[in-house]
Amino acid sequence: MKKVLCALLLMFSANAFANDAGCGLGSLAISRNSKLMQLFAVTTNATLFTQVFGITSGTSGCTASGIVMNDKEVQYFVEVNQEELSREMAQGHGEKLFTLAQMKGCWKESSQKAFGSFAQDSYSRILPTANTTAVELVKNLNAEMSSQKELGQLCHGS
Amino acid sequence: MVLNFLFLVIIYLAPQFSWGFSPERTEAYKKQALQSQLARSSQWLSLGHYRQRLFGSYYSPIRGNFFISPQGAKDPQAELLATIDFLFSDKTDKNQGQCRYLARMSWLKKELTLAPEDILPCPERDRWKAQLGVTEAHLIFAASDLSSAASSFGHTFLKFHNPKNIGKLELLDYGVNYAAITGTEDGALYAIKGLFGSYPGAYSMQPYHQKIREYTNLEGRDLWEYKLHLNPDEVAFILDHLLELEGSYAPYYFADDNCSAQILELIEVAKPDLGLTAEFHDVVIPIDTVKVLNDKWMLDGEKVRSSLQAEWHTRYAHLNFLQRGAVKEIIKDNSLSEPAYRSLTAKEKAESLEASLSYLALTEYRDQKNKKDEKYSLSLERAKLGAITNPVQIPSPKSPLTSLDASAFYLGIGQDQSVDFYSLKWRRGFHDLLSDDSGITPFSQLDFLSFDLRYRPTRQNWDLQQIVLLNIITTYPWTEFEHPISWKIDVGTEPKLAPYFNGGIGAGVDVALPQAARWNIFAITENDHLADDVNPHLGVESLLVNKWTEHIRSLLDAKYLYSFSEQKSLGEFTLGMSYSLHKIEYRLEGELRDNQNSWQNSWKLSVIF
């Protein structure tokens, strides 16, 4: 019960996380099922970093009460999907990339495609090194996007 | 003016009236609940996750802080009365009462005639729910890992959809998962503890894109999505109930009290009269729960999200000969300056790079090797080539709903060394090599608990032929890039109750002969009559399984075994043909054994349904 109350308090102190340090997902190593585990994992449904349901958990800096905070949604999404995103940026299309496009205000399919080509063209600037962090990725992406007038018009509210 | 003033006075005074519960009213609610036998209603029983024992008594697996009455887990009525006390008592902190048990409260609002002043607001909870904004629920089935027969079991979880998340934003919806909290244990201990319920199982919630990453990338499984026929009120009720379960857990049993059992119970909370869980008696197999929901018209539409593994296979299959050579160079030598790659056109280069990148991503997840630098240099190269490729269209696998029923009867007639027999076999699950493999791992076998009885007219008696406890055959094909190990294990009793243990490891290749086939070679050991003197046999086995058409499959198996203690060898050849239509299968199997110059043969014709 105390936990619930604490969590409710957390809800109101959501602003405490409002710095730009990312969501700290990187510290959560995602465990792979080893071969031996696969052999036995008949229902394979164990995750190591299980976040206990609901409002008690604000595990990473981007969630409060188990829900990703509005202003952290892009950051959180990029941290979780960084590998996929960088692969899709290189090829200029993909589901995760187009989801990110929509999060950045590109609602139409045509504008998502334009976002895809933009990300591909700016690849080396959005991801200047192999070790670019998710926080840097988002920062670089925003900087690159602000210089793109046409894309800005296509993607409102970005 | 006067009216306004009166209004203000009422508003001002209202809270003072409403925040005192009256013991008389609370007693009246209890009386009403007893009179209308609410404690036995399906809704109350589903809210407490009560199950009925053989002799009518109730129990609930939920532990933690869920039950209010000390007898709550065993006594639905005591819990209901305690609930009414708890919800309508001044002694309870108001957040701990009605806001703690949202679903119980919302149900009691409908069932009891509550005085308006006894209903309290829960603004924090309302805000939380508004933020989640859920109106729809989807059932997600994580199909088996293509390369692991054991995962034929599958997994289910729920996705809560917020209508605000239109289009691609649906990835921002939330997935609600029920899982064992296992810590870092691995291997056999994990399995044993899981079978005997030593892990607590609990719900967790994560953005759906995070679940996708976990299943389609990390575990290489396709995700199947079905919209559940639940109206927004029913979905909200499930969410209220999930909040009630905060801080509770249930012992997690891999076989029966697993993810799918709990997800069914959760749906049952909103639809208590569907009788979903009543369909399951022993083992709750996730795919069966999906089928039961489908049979009850609870599912709508079907969508598949392919795994990274499927993406890589599709990409590689689309490459031409030169491109495949280039991909091999890129992956093995990590070089873009080799002749094969340089000779390609720009588009061919782009496709080769994309294929290589998906392969590297796959191995990075699977082998936990850091391939950051390789991937980065390939990505830079790929980005420079510009927008010249189209998204790959991954062919949709067959729906898991088309897969065979896990348990089946086999009726057969046959001859064993010229003696006629009738056979009756029952398997609890799942499938064998000759079964229709729609929606399951191809060229694999997962057979647990089957009983084979035989009646011989000459002897006029029924006899136990074989019990299989567990028989798994997992075959992985060798490719240019990977050389995985195939393995098999078979534990049971034959003949009668004489225990045996067989196993093998080997390798296989896929051959397109004529449609799809896999050929495996195993090093094997067979050990029967383990209770008497141990007489191990070692040998080799060649196993070829063909899929001729969608309906016809065949199996050709040859074994050579040698016993060092007896110093004799034996050969065994098996041929099987199977034809299946509308979930009924007809099968012919023949076996020839060369046991020290005497040939023994047997055959069997069976119908499986």
Side-chain angles (χ1 to χ4, degrees):
Chain A
M1 229 33 244
K2 264 185 192 158
K3 267 189 191 168
V4 175
L5 292 174
C6 286
L8 288 172
L9 286 175
L10 244 178
M11 248 177 88
F12 297 110
S13 60
N15 288 334
F17 296 117
N19 54 33
D20 241 346
C23 310
L25 270 177
S27 61
L28 295 166
I30 289 174
S31 131
R32 166 191 67 103
N33 284 343
S34 67
K35 278 275 175 288
L36 190 62
M37 191 139 160
Q38 272 175 22
L39 206 160
F40 288 109
V42 190
T43 49
T44 316
N45 38 26
T47 49
L48 270 184
F49 59 108
T50 301
Q51 175 179 312
V52 178
F53 174 78
I55 61 182
T56 54
S57 46
T59 50
S60 60
C62 285
T63 59
S65 320
I67 303 179
V68 181
M69 280 142 28
N70 278 336
D71 59 331
K72 292 286 179 186
E73 214 136 42
V74 170
Q75 185 61 48
Y76 192 91
F77 185 78
V78 170
E79 284 197 20
V80 172
N81 298 291
Q82 190 177 356
E83 290 123 347
E84 289 292 290
L85 277 171
S86 55
R87 200 158 68 88
E88 291 181 357
M89 281 180 180
Q91 70 188 19
H93 50 76
E95 190 191 23
K96 309 274 160 44
L97 184 60
F98 288 166
T99 305
L100 179 65
Q102 201 176 329
M103 290 167 87
K104 298 297 278 175
C106 314
W107 285 81
K108 283 189 198 148
E109 224 166 272
S110 56
S111 59
Q112 287 166 11
K113 275 191 183 153
F115 181 89
S117 310
F118 145 76
Q120 190 178 42
D121 289 342
S122 332
Y123 191 85
S124 58
R125 289 183 296 278
I126 297 174
L127 287 141
T129 72
N131 296 312
T132 306
T133 67
V135 175
E136 287 161 355
L137 194 159
V138 172
K139 213 168 70 191
N140 297 340
L141 178 74
N142 289 341
E144 285 299 312
M145 261 191 103
S146 61
S147 65
Q148 302 274 327
K149 275 206 184 113
E150 254 175 76
L151 189 66
Q153 277 164 358
L154 278 169
C155 305
H156 287 290
S158 60
Chain B
M1 203 50 201
V2 177
L3 267 178
N4 273 355
F5 177 70
L6 271 178
F7 183 65
L8 275 176
V9 168
I10 289 166
I11 287 285
Y12 194 70
L13 293 176
Q16 292 173 12
F17 283 120
S18 56
W19 286 0
F21 294 111
S22 101
E24 294 77 35
R25 283 204 303 270
T26 306
E27 282 310 309
Y29 298 151
K30 286 204 252 180
K31 205 179 267 174
Q32 197 188 345
L34 287 173
Q35 266 165 6
S36 37
Q37 299 200 315
L38 283 189
R40 275 196 230 157
S41 72
S42 54
Q43 183 68 80
W44 178 248
L45 295 175
S46 70
L47 275 174
H49 296 249
Y50 290 108
R51 298 150 191 199
Q52 204 159 13
R53 284 218 171 85
L54 208 54
F55 299 106
S57 66
Y58 290 97
Y59 76 100
S60 171
I62 311 286
R63 309 269 182 282
N65 60 6
F66 184 66
F67 289 106
I68 299 166
S69 158
Q71 287 85 42
K74 286 179 192 152
D75 187 344
Q77 181 159 306
E79 180 63 16
L80 179 61
L81 297 178
T83 301
I84 294 173
D85 265 335
F86 192 72
L87 297 183
F88 308 105
S89 152
D90 283 325
K91 281 179 230 149
T92 316
D93 182 315
K94 69 179 165 38
N95 271 327
Q96 284 192 358
Q98 298 184 6
C99 302
R100 166 74 179 84
Y101 290 101
L102 288 177
R104 292 186 191 185
M105 181 60 198
S106 108
W107 172 67
L108 286 175
K109 265 192 241 172
K110 278 185 251 162
E111 298 297 325
L112 302 175
T113 35
L114 297 178
E117 60 265 41
D118 283 347
I119 301 170
L120 302 180
C122 297
E124 299 94 336
R125 297 280 173 145
D126 289 344
R127 236 170 294 156
W128 188 83
K129 285 192 283 177
Q131 209 182 340
L132 211 55
V134 169
T135 57
E136 270 178 31
H138 297 238
L139 182 77
I140 313 294
F141 172 68
S144 58
D145 181 337
L146 280 179
S147 52
S148 167
S151 73
S152 287
F153 227 71
H155 177 61
T156 53
F157 62 97
L158 290 182
K159 185 184 87 166
F160 282 132
H161 178 58
N162 179 342
K164 191 185 82 190
N165 292 335
I166 48 175
K168 305 219 162 50
L169 294 185
E170 64 161 331
L171 293 195
L172 303 181
D173 283 339
Y174 282 83
V176 166
N177 194 37
Y178 184 82
I181 300 167
T182 58
T184 50
E185 274 147 6
D186 208 336
L189 186 63
Y190 166 85
I192 290 162
K193 287 179 92 171
L195 282 171
F196 295 102
S198 317
Y199 291 122
Y203 288 100
S204 63
M205 188 176 89
Q206 275 167 348
Y208 187 49
H209 59 84
Q210 210 167 339
K211 305 291 317 166
I212 292 175
R213 187 184 123 84
E214 188 181 331
Y215 283 98
T216 65
N217 292 355
L218 290 172
E219 299 194 351
R221 303 162 95 173
D222 295 331
L223 291 182
W224 295 83
E225 308 177 357
Y226 303 90
K227 185 180 177 302
L228 281 166
H229 277 296
L230 294 172
N231 65 37
D233 289 341
E234 289 165 337
V235 175
F237 193 65
I238 293 181
L239 199 61
D240 283 349
H241 180 61
L242 277 168
L243 288 170
E244 289 180 348
L245 287 169
E246 175 77 41
S248 328
Y249 64 95
Y252 194 103
Y253 294 88
F254 283 172
D256 53 354
D257 242 333
N258 54 23
C259 56
S260 292
Q262 288 293 329
I263 292 293
L264 268 196
E265 284 193 0
L266 208 52
I267 296 169
E268 210 161 43
V269 162
K271 295 266 189 198
D273 297 317
L274 270 186
L276 294 171
T277 45
E279 304 259 336
F280 296 89
H281 307 289
D282 52 351
V283 177
V284 182
I285 297 169
I287 180 62
D288 287 349
T289 67
V290 184
K291 285 178 183 166
V292 161
L293 284 165
N294 192 45
D295 293 343
K296 306 251 180 190
W297 305 100
M298 282 296 291
L299 303 184
D300 200 5
E302 183 178 71
K303 206 170 120 186
V304 63
R305 206 175 281 282
S306 297
S307 66
L308 185 56
Q309 200 170 168
E311 185 199 312
W312 152 246
H313 286 308
T314 309
R315 284 187 188 277
Y316 190 72
H318 284 173
L319 298 182
N320 66 33
F321 183 73
L322 288 172
Q323 286 175 307
R324 288 183 188 191
V327 168
K328 214 173 155 181
E329 282 175 6
I330 294 171
I331 290 169
K332 292 210 167 135
D333 310 329
N334 185 29
S335 161
L336 296 173
S337 51
E338 304 284 329
Y341 177 74
R342 282 167 57 192
S343 68
L344 300 175
T345 66
K347 185 165 190 261
E348 285 173 336
K349 278 181 179 168
E351 286 165 353
S352 310
L353 287 169
E354 287 173 14
S356 308
L357 277 164
S358 62
Y359 179 77
L360 287 177
L362 186 70
T363 50
E364 197 172 41
Y365 287 127
R366 210 172 38 198
D367 308 334
Q368 293 230 293
K369 279 187 196 143
N370 187 341
K371 305 260 167 136
K372 258 187 185 171
D373 293 327
E374 290 100 309
K375 283 196 321 188
Y376 186 67
S377 62
L378 296 184
S379 296
L380 275 184
E381 176 78 8
R382 170 63 196 92
K384 272 184 215 146
L385 292 167
I388 43 174
T389 58
N390 293 317
V392 278
Q393 300 295 330
I394 300 167
S396 199
K398 265 205 201 165
S399 163
L401 292 175
T402 64
S403 66
L404 284 179
D405 289 341
S407 61
F409 283 104
Y410 297 56
L411 294 183
I413 54 166
Q415 258 187 6
D416 192 353
Q417 297 176 70
S418 310
V419 178
D420 290 342
F421 68 81
Y422 297 94
S423 109
L424 171 64
K425 181 177 155 183
W426 178 77
R427 76 154 191 248
R428 178 59 191 94
F430 219 105
H431 56 89
D432 53 39
L433 282 171
L434 277 174
S435 305
D436 178 10
D437 64 358
S438 315
I440 54 171
T441 313
F443 303 114
S444 72
Q445 171 161 311
L446 174 61
D447 196 353
F448 69 89
L449 276 193
S450 67
F451 301 89
D452 190 354
L453 298 172
R454 286 199 179 169
Y455 180 79
R456 291 181 183 80
T458 47
R459 294 188 209 158
Q460 297 203 329
N461 70 338
W462 282 98
D463 230 343
L464 176 67
Q465 176 72 19
Q466 188 186 21
I467 298 176
V468 173
L469 292 178
L470 187 66
N471 184 344
I472 300 178
I473 301 176
T474 300
T475 66
Y476 307 89
W478 275 32
T479 64
E480 272 179 277
F481 301 96
E482 296 159 296
H483 301 132
I485 293 169
S486 298
W487 53 268
K488 50 190 275 181
I489 186 169
D490 184 7
V491 187
T493 67
E494 186 183 21
K496 298 181 185 174
L497 291 169
Y500 70 84
F501 169 83
N502 302 333
I505 54 168
V509 284
D510 274 353
V511 271
L513 183 89
Q515 216 195 11
R518 189 170 291 171
W519 179 57
N520 280 279
I521 291 276
F522 291 102
I524 52 169
T525 170
E526 296 203 346
N527 312 277
D528 50 14
H529 292 93
L530 282 175
D532 309 330
D533 49 338
V534 181
N535 177 20
H537 286 72
L538 295 175
V540 287
E541 177 180 4
S542 152
L543 171 67
L544 175 70
V545 185
N546 288 67
K547 279 195 273 182
W548 299 93
T549 71
E550 212 178 304
H551 306 290
I552 301 173
R553 293 162 301 279
S554 74
L555 175 157
L556 198 59
D557 184 58
K559 276 184 212 170
Y560 170 83
L561 287 157
Y562 186 79
S563 157
F564 288 95
S565 53
E566 290 178 359
Q567 300 207 324
K568 61 180 190 184
S569 61
L570 77 109
E572 202 176 294
F573 306 94
T574 314
L575 172 72
M577 290 287 291
S578 121
Y579 172 78
S580 56
L581 197 65
H582 306 308
K583 297 199 175 181
I584 297 179
E585 187 190 327
Y586 307 90
R587 186 182 287 190
L588 177 64
E589 289 156 291
E591 201 178 271
L592 198 59
R593 280 189 302 271
D594 165 27
N595 198 349
Q596 292 265 302
N597 306 327
S598 71
W599 287 90
Q600 303 172 344
N601 65 68
S602 66
W603 61 267
K604 186 164 102 173
L605 181 69
S606 17
V607 178
I608 303 163
F609 54 90

